[in-house]
Amino acid sequence: TKVSRSLINNVHFDIVGFVVNEMAYAISRWIEGELINGTVGKVTGLSTLSNSITTQSETSIVADDVVKLHDSIKDQFQRNAIWIMSPETRTTLRTLKSTTGYYLLNDDISTPFGTSLLGKPVYVSDNMPNIAAGNKVIYYGDMHGLATKFNEDINIEVLRERYADEHAYGVIGWLEFDSKVIDEQQIAVMTMASE
């Protein structure tokens, strides 16, 4: 982040609080993206899962696909299981009904973000791909099966000299971490069918 010295000197604006919040948000989004999608040769994340079910269609999800994904996790790992999907996928699932006519995705004030699917909390992430042929669109399971290791805490540094000619400071953040699925029995992925 580059911050103007004039803005810093403006006593009517809490620039320090603003920059701290923006940096924290950007870092958390980046970590989330790495845990979900990984980076080849660096962080493997959830995208390397082989415990997978494939949907019946390239462009839609049916209730049977959701039940198969749910049941691909053994009962002993169901207690802490959660769903992770994109906001668009969650909207699609809101219309799915069981064979008896009940909606599968329910509003549930007892869950962290207010919705549950087959009794488990639903988390949404903009880092998740939307429904399209070949995409990995839903992760389900106990996320303790994904190990993370932080080799270096988040370090924030202020660069005073680098932007001096622009009458500004730079603020940069660094961290080092790794992630890998350590127990494929605990987590599964729904992959959309492809041609």
Side-chain angles (χ1 to χ4, degrees):
T1 302
K2 189 163 51 170
V3 183
S4 155
R5 289 186 189 184
S6 299
L7 188 56
I8 293 170
N9 294 332
N10 184 342
V11 295
H12 301 294
F13 185 73
D14 177 19
I15 187 64
V16 173
F18 178 79
V19 170
V20 166
N21 288 337
E22 289 298 305
M23 293 286 288
Y25 180 72
I27 290 169
S28 68
R29 291 292 306 266
W30 180 80
I31 291 172
E32 178 184 282
E34 291 298 307
L35 292 174
I36 291 171
N37 301 307
T39 297
V40 175
K42 295 185 179 182
V43 177
T44 55
L46 293 172
S47 63
T48 61
L49 276 169
S50 59
N51 186 8
S52 177
I53 70 108
T54 303
T55 59
Q56 298 174 29
S57 166
E58 298 172 13
T59 58
S60 65
I61 297 171
V62 297
D64 287 351
D65 295 329
V66 176
V67 170
K68 286 176 186 173
L69 182 62
H70 178 274
D71 288 350
S72 68
I73 301 300
K74 294 180 180 179
D75 289 350
Q76 68 191 45
F77 301 120
Q78 289 285 347
R79 176 187 294 239
N80 296 315
I82 64 168
W83 302 90
I84 303 172
M85 61 191 71
S86 74
E88 181 181 296
T89 301
R90 180 182 60 184
T91 299
T92 299
L93 294 187
R94 283 188 180 276
T95 64
L96 291 183
K97 293 181 181 179
S98 68
T99 55
T100 56
Y102 292 103
Y103 287 105
L104 294 180
L105 186 67
N106 299 299
D107 292 329
D108 183 350
I109 62 170
S110 68
T111 61
F113 291 98
T115 53
S116 67
L117 178 60
L118 300 176
K120 300 299 178 185
V122 176
Y123 292 82
V124 295
S125 170
D126 292 330
N127 287 300
M128 285 293 296
N130 290 321
I131 296 170
N135 282 354
K136 296 178 179 185
V137 294
I138 301 174
Y139 291 104
Y140 176 72
D142 183 342
M143 295 304 144
H144 289 103
L146 176 68
T148 56
K149 179 177 91 170
F150 285 82
N151 300 330
E152 178 183 346
D153 288 335
I154 297 171
N155 293 306
I156 306 291
E157 294 182 32
V158 176
L159 308 174
R160 298 181 189 284
E161 300 297 325
R162 184 169 181 179
Y163 301 105
D165 61 334
E166 298 178 45
H167 196 58
Y169 291 120
V171 181
I172 190 167
W174 295 95
L175 73 134
E176 183 179 340
F177 87 106
D178 198 0
S179 171
K180 183 175 185 174
V181 175
I182 56 169
D183 190 349
E184 293 249 354
Q185 298 179 85
Q186 291 184 294
I187 310 169
V189 61
M190 179 183 290
T191 305
M192 298 303 294
S194 57
E195 293 180 24

